[in-house]
Amino acid sequence: MNFFTHILSPLGGITLAGDEKALTGLWFDGQKYFPEQLSGEERETPVFRKVSDWLDQYFAGKNPATEIPIHVCGSQFRRNVWGILQQIPYGTTTTYGQIAKQLAARTGKNVSAQAVGGAVGHNPVSLIIPCHRVVGSDGSLTGYAGGIEKKYALLKLEGVDLSAFSLPCEDSEKKIK
């Protein structure tokens, strides 16, 4: 059986989806690639309570130690990318190109940064699988399905020195400040 619930965070509403054992989705309201329709029953579950506690700690500026069981569906390539995302330490960043090089080293096949970007953007469990920690190789804060403003806020919350990064356009900078 599938379940979903809606919670509020300092960055806006968040929708959680899950099954009996694990989290299957975490999206900011209105983000790109949000499912058109969630199936299942709206209710609280033990997994959702764990996620809510995790989010409370995270938004309080802590690196939550709680393990969240997740179950994500996607191609093998996407699952490989999402696995690498889970290894990016709190308060640090990596680039799409660096992830592509890691995948190429593991598989022996060339991987483009753009392909990695597509997989990162389709991450169904935002925050828990920390796709916001991936930045452009040119130092730009780009490519976050939840919006650049949220990516900036999340990295700032984690203590990342944002002075080295540029925003993709002037309008985004105005929205963030």
Side-chain angles (χ1 to χ4, degrees):
M1 178 109 192
N2 293 315
F3 306 102
F4 64 92
T5 194
H6 191 262
I7 60 174
L8 294 177
S9 81
L11 295 180
I14 293 177
T15 299
L16 304 176
D19 56 28
E20 290 88 358
K21 297 180 182 178
L23 184 69
T24 60
L26 187 158
W27 305 273
F28 283 106
D29 289 354
Q31 86 171 47
K32 200 173 184 183
Y33 309 121
F34 185 88
E36 286 184 27
Q37 206 172 26
L38 290 173
S39 64
E41 180 182 327
E42 185 169 0
R43 76 169 200 200
E44 280 294 313
T45 68
V47 170
F48 293 164
R49 283 189 285 284
K50 255 185 153 174
V51 173
S52 184
D53 290 344
W54 189 98
L55 290 168
D56 287 345
Q57 290 177 47
Y58 180 81
F59 284 115
K62 299 176 184 165
N63 181 9
T66 306
E67 291 289 322
I68 303 295
I70 59 172
H71 176 238
V72 291
C73 295
S75 69
Q76 185 62 51
F77 176 77
R78 285 184 177 179
R79 290 194 316 269
N80 288 343
V81 171
W82 299 335
I84 290 172
L85 296 179
Q86 290 176 285
Q87 297 169 10
I88 305 168
Y90 179 93
T92 65
T93 61
T94 191
T95 68
Y96 299 96
Q98 288 169 324
I99 294 172
K101 286 178 186 173
Q102 282 183 288
L103 286 170
R106 288 182 189 177
T107 64
K109 298 177 183 176
N110 284 335
V111 177
S112 74
Q114 291 81 10
V116 168
V120 170
H122 284 84
N123 168 18
V125 185
S126 194
L127 296 175
I128 306 294
I129 298 177
C131 51
H132 61 280
R133 296 180 187 151
V134 185
V135 299
S137 60
D138 62 355
S140 62
L141 294 182
T142 185
Y144 189 60
I148 296 300
E149 301 84 12
K150 286 182 178 70
K151 183 173 195 163
Y152 183 93
L154 295 169
L155 292 173
K156 185 175 180 181
L157 177 74
E158 291 186 16
V160 173
D161 178 7
L162 295 166
S163 64
F165 297 103
S166 64
L167 298 169
C169 70
E170 232 176 84
D171 291 340
S172 293
E173 190 171 355
K174 289 175 186 172
K175 290 180 190 175
I176 291 170
K177 289 183 178 179

